């Protein structure tokens, strides 16, 4: 997770080594508990709509909160 603003309900997920960042919205987060924070490693489904790329079904990986190591997208794409 690059950043997430819970007050606005939006954020960005950065992809290691590729562009662009992926838009994340609070309604796409599929878990209870602590809010997503910068550095959290997440998995998600990638959707393309009129606004661009968007993450759906966002959830933390078990191995999370490491800004030094990338996460993985469900299609094998490396993310942070």
């Amino acid at each position: 997770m690059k950043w997430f603003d819970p007050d606005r309900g939006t954020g960005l997920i950065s992809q290691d080594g590729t562009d662009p960042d992926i838009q994340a919205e609070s309604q796409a987060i599929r878990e209870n508990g602590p809010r997503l924070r910068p550095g959290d490693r997440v998995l998600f489904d990638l959707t393309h709509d009129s606004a661009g790329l968007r993450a759906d079904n966002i959830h933390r990986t078990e191995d999370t909160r490491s800004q030094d190591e990338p996460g993985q997208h469900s299609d094998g794409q490396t993310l942070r």
Side-chain angles (χ1 to χ4, degrees), residues 13 21 23 26 28 33 42 45-46 48-49 56-57 64-65 79:
I13 300 171
D21 291 342
Q23 181 180 350
S26 60
V42 296
D45 297 326
L46 189 60
H48 189 273
D49 61 15
D56 286 323
N57 300 315
T64 193
R65 292 188 185 90
L79 305 177

Side-chain angles (χ1 to χ4, degrees), residues 5-46:
D5 182 342
D7 295 329
R8 291 180 35 201
T10 62
L12 289 177
I13 300 171
S14 63
Q15 304 181 82
D16 283 347
T18 62
D19 286 324
D21 291 342
I22 308 300
Q23 181 180 350
E25 297 182 358
S26 60
Q27 65 266 25
I29 300 169
R30 302 291 180 235
E31 64 181 59
N32 295 322
R35 294 180 177 159
L36 294 175
R37 300 183 302 186
D40 280 356
R41 295 170 60 174
V42 296
L43 296 176
F44 60 88
D45 297 326
L46 189 60

